[in-house]
Structures are given as C-alpha cells and as structure tokens.
Amino acid sequence: MISQTEQMSYRLSLLDTQYQKNSYQMSTKNLLQQGSDDSMLYSRIISVDDKIRTYEGLKTQIERTTIQNNAADSSMSNIKKLFESMKTELIKANTATTSASGIAAIAANITGLKENLYQLANTQVEGEYVFAGSDSSVQPFEKDVNGKVTYVGNNQLRKVAVEEGSYRDRGVTGFDMMMYPTASATKGQTLNFSQEDRIIDQDGNEWKLNSPTNDTLTKYDLQGNVTTDTLAVTNDGLTPPTYSAVIPNVDGTKFEAKTNIFNLMDSTLNALNKVDSSGNPISEDQAKALIAKSQLELDKAYDGVNIAHAQLGGRNEIFETSLERVSSKLTQYNILSQQIGSADLAKVAAEAKALELTYTALYSTISKTNTLSLVNFLN
C-alpha cells in the first residue's frame, strides 16, 4: 500500500507539472515556459525575437528620420519661395521708376526675408537641427550683434541605419543649402576668393585663411582638425581684397570658393541703402551696379538651393523605400515568431480537458484506496 501511495504521489506531481505548463500556455499564449523544455526551438525563438527587436529599432529610427526629412523638405520649399520674393524685389529695385521711398520699402522687405530665412535655416525637429551636418545638436547658423550670420555646422551628412550594417546619408547640410559656389579651380589653376568665402576641396575638407596675415590656406580634415597641408595665398591689395591660391597640380584635385547666402543679402541691403561694406556712402550709379550684381548672384544661389533640394528629395526617397522594406520584414518576423513560439490554444484546451479527466480519475482512485482497511487491502 505504501508503494501504491508513492506511485499516486508521483503521478500527481507529473499532472501538477503538466497543469502548470498548460496554465502558462493558456495565460501567456507562449509555447515554452522554460528554454530547457525544447532547447532547439528556444534558440530559434530567441533568434527571431532578436531580429524583431533589431527591425523595431530600425523602423523607429527611420520613422524619426522621415519626420526630420519632411521638415527639411518643407523648409527648403519655403526657402525657395523667399528667394523668388527677393528676386522680384530686386527687379523692382533696379527699375528707374522706383522712388527712394520704394527702395526703402524694398530694403525693409528684404530685411524681413533675411530673418525668415535665418529661422528656416535653423529648422529644428525633436531637438535636432536638420541642416547642421553630422552633429545635429549644433545650431547651424549663428547671428552676431551686427546681424552677420555665420554657418558653424559642418559639411558632413549624418548617416542613419536603414538595414543591418547598412547606412545612408540623411538630409543636406548648410554648406549644400545656404552656400553657393562663386569660383572653382582644378589642378594647376588659380582660385580667386574673398575673405568671407569658405574654401572646400574635392574630398569635402575645408581650407581656412590663417589670421591675421591671411597669406596661407590651411587644410582642416572632415573632423575639423588642423592638418599640416597648406597653400600659399596672394592678396591683390584692393579694398575689399581678393585672394588667390594656385591649386596643387594633382589629378582629381578641385577647389571651390563658397559664399554664404546671408552675406549676399547683407551686400544687397548695403546697396539698397547706398553704403559700402564699411558703411561709407556710395553713389546711386554704384548702388544700381551692385543691385544688378546681386541679381546675378541671387540666380546662382537659387540654382544652388534647387540642386540641394533635389539631392534632399533623392535621399528622402531612399528612406521612404527603406521604411517600407523594414516594415515588411518586421511583419514577416512577427508572423514567424507567432508560428514557432505561440501555443496552439485549441490543442492546449484539449489537453486541459484531458488533464481534468485524468485528475478526476486519479483522485477517484485515491479516494477508493483510502476507504480500504488494511485487512481488505491485504486480501
């Protein structure tokens, strides 16, 4: 009888274990409670779940990037509209019938356009500046007490993961958007530039004038670190001065001088107000000539913005396509996870019913056994 009791207890423990497993599957809908239940299946589930977490992270990142890209695209569209308004204003300013009060009104309008442009160039989404380059925490354009605007971001695009181990460039930088080329030179040629121009080589490195002598261009790498590479610079001695440098005679070498669009707007405002860059009065004929020059320069700047906008559109499309692909893969992995890791509830319900009947039969046997006397049991 003792042996039978031990057998009954053992069978009850097996039923209890099966009941716990069954209850876990019913409540969580998960097939495995412990990895040791099926080590091979558990490894597959872990692998698939890891893929799900990876693609969830990619999807979240791409969705956030898409929001930033859409904001950048909207800002670029508005920037082009501001340029179109400025072009219209300059056409009116260069018309002989425009009065002095009309010129003053045009200057006031362009001052307002400059402020609007400054706000758009510093577009921020979720705490990140979309035109700052690789470091989106830095406000790309800064204004000093005199209203002079300077680009302090970099010319490197931020890279965003679109797939495991695959990254794509995001957006455009302030160099692409708000700085247009005024001169270029290839190997062996001479590059002419002003003190306010930014000099960029074919690899994206910036070359800066050494202050205060301004007789040398020094190369800074993509991380902004100074290097030992230099170029000799000559000064034509005029006011304002024009600098020149002979480009190294190396195949594939190209240098560009880029002008800040805000500098163009400042020059235009000076011309409208009939003063030079130092605030000294100039004649009406000189002012008209400078306004005409501003019109030509504005056309170059507008073309530069158009090119940058097209580049932005191409990059944005890459992220839109990537979002669709990542979302599709995430759906597939979620389905696979359900298929291999989820309990078959119909099967679990049937097992629960069978377990209930087994419990009933076992407890009935135990009850009958307990009613027997030792004499009857021996008999």
Side-chain angles (χ1 to χ4, degrees):
M1 183 168 182
I2 294 175
S3 175
Q4 187 174 9
T5 301
E6 289 176 347
Q7 291 178 8
M8 292 293 183
S9 297
Y10 176 70
R11 292 181 63 188
L12 273 176
S13 68
L14 293 178
L15 289 176
D16 288 341
T17 300
Q18 183 61 34
Y19 174 77
Q20 291 174 2
K21 178 181 177 181
N22 192 267
S23 298
Y24 174 81
Q25 292 176 338
M26 288 291 289
S27 61
T28 66
K29 298 181 177 60
N30 293 327
L31 182 61
L32 300 182
Q33 183 174 9
Q34 303 291 336
S36 57
D37 293 346
D38 188 330
S39 59
M40 292 185 64
L41 178 59
Y42 184 67
S43 296
R44 286 190 65 196
I45 293 173
I46 291 297
S47 177
V48 172
D49 286 348
D50 182 63
K51 289 289 187 181
I52 289 174
R53 286 190 294 271
T54 297
Y55 280 98
E56 283 177 342
L58 286 171
K59 183 180 179 183
T60 299
Q61 185 166 270
I62 295 174
E63 286 175 337
R64 184 178 182 184
T65 300
T66 300
I67 293 172
Q68 294 170 338
N69 288 343
N70 290 338
D73 183 74
S74 176
S75 294
M76 292 286 286
S77 296
N78 288 326
I79 286 171
K80 290 198 294 185
K81 290 178 182 178
L82 292 181
F83 273 42
E84 290 164 1
S85 297
M86 185 174 171
K87 290 170 70 174
T88 301
E89 293 295 297
L90 289 183
I91 291 173
K92 290 190 294 184
N94 213 19
T95 302
T97 56
T98 303
S99 64
S101 60
I103 294 292
I106 290 171
N109 286 340
I110 291 179
T111 299
L113 293 176
K114 178 185 174 183
E115 183 59 32
N116 291 340
L117 189 61
Y118 177 72
Q119 297 298 329
L120 289 170
N122 284 322
T123 296
Q124 192 176 19
V125 179
E126 296 182 342
E128 295 188 34
Y129 293 97
V130 298
F131 299 125
S134 60
D135 188 355
S136 57
S137 65
V138 175
Q139 179 176 316
F141 292 89
E142 293 183 350
K143 186 191 300 181
D144 65 16
V145 293
N146 298 315
K148 181 177 176 60
V149 178
T150 305
Y151 180 64
V152 296
N154 59 45
N155 62 335
Q156 300 177 69
L157 292 173
R158 183 177 179 184
K159 294 186 179 295
V160 177
V162 295
E163 185 58 86
E164 290 183 280
S166 180
Y167 297 82
R168 295 292 182 272
D169 290 331
R170 186 206 76 180
V172 293
T173 72
F175 268 107
D176 300 323
M177 176 188 68
M178 299 299 291
M179 302 190 75
Y180 65 98
T182 55
S184 65
T186 56
K187 67 168 187 173
Q189 296 179 338
T190 299
L191 178 72
N192 298 313
F193 57 95
S194 70
Q195 186 170 354
E196 293 182 336
D197 287 341
R198 305 282 288 268
I199 312 303
I200 307 297
D201 67 18
Q202 72 285 341
D203 299 317
N205 304 300
E206 185 170 5
W207 296 69
K208 299 180 182 180
L209 275 172
N210 63 320
S211 180
T213 56
N214 293 338
D215 58 1
T216 305
L217 280 174
T218 302
K219 176 182 173 181
Y220 288 74
D221 63 23
L222 296 178
Q223 285 70 45
N225 302 313
V226 64
T227 71
T228 57
D229 296 326
T230 61
L231 286 177
V233 172
T234 58
N235 182 341
D236 65 4
L238 300 177
T239 303
T242 296
Y243 300 93
S244 60
V246 177
I247 307 306
N249 193 22
V250 178
D251 288 342
T253 303
K254 181 180 179 181
F255 279 53
E256 276 190 334
K258 290 195 170 187
T259 294
N260 188 335
I261 289 173
F262 289 102
N263 292 342
L264 170 61
M265 299 186 81
D266 289 339
S267 298
T268 303
L269 287 170
N270 287 337
L272 291 170
N273 293 320
K274 296 182 181 179
V275 296
D276 62 17
S277 58
S278 300
N280 301 312
I282 59 176
S283 68
E284 184 170 346
D285 288 340
Q286 288 175 313
K288 290 289 186 182
L290 289 173
I291 291 172
K293 181 181 178 181
S294 292
Q295 286 181 277
L296 296 175
E297 292 297 304
L298 186 60
D299 286 337
K300 295 179 184 178
Y302 186 78
D303 289 342
V305 173
N306 256 333
I307 292 171
H309 198 188
Q311 292 173 337
L312 176 65
R315 291 170 184 142
N316 289 356
E317 186 174 351
I318 290 174
F319 283 99
E320 291 169 2
T321 303
S322 297
L323 180 59
E324 293 178 2
R325 182 173 63 251
V326 167
S327 298
S328 176
K329 287 188 176 182
L330 180 58
T331 299
Q332 292 171 3
Y333 277 117
N334 277 321
I335 292 173
L336 180 60
S337 178
Q338 291 293 319
Q339 289 175 341
I340 66 174
S342 296
D344 184 343
L345 296 183
K347 180 181 177 182
V348 172
E351 290 175 349
K353 187 63 178 177
L355 191 61
E356 179 185 346
L357 295 174
T358 303
Y359 262 119
T360 301
L362 184 59
Y363 275 111
S364 175
T365 301
I366 292 173
S367 177
K368 290 179 180 179
T369 301
N370 289 337
T371 60
L372 295 175
S373 67
L374 178 60
V375 174
N376 291 334
F377 185 78
L378 293 173
N379 289 336

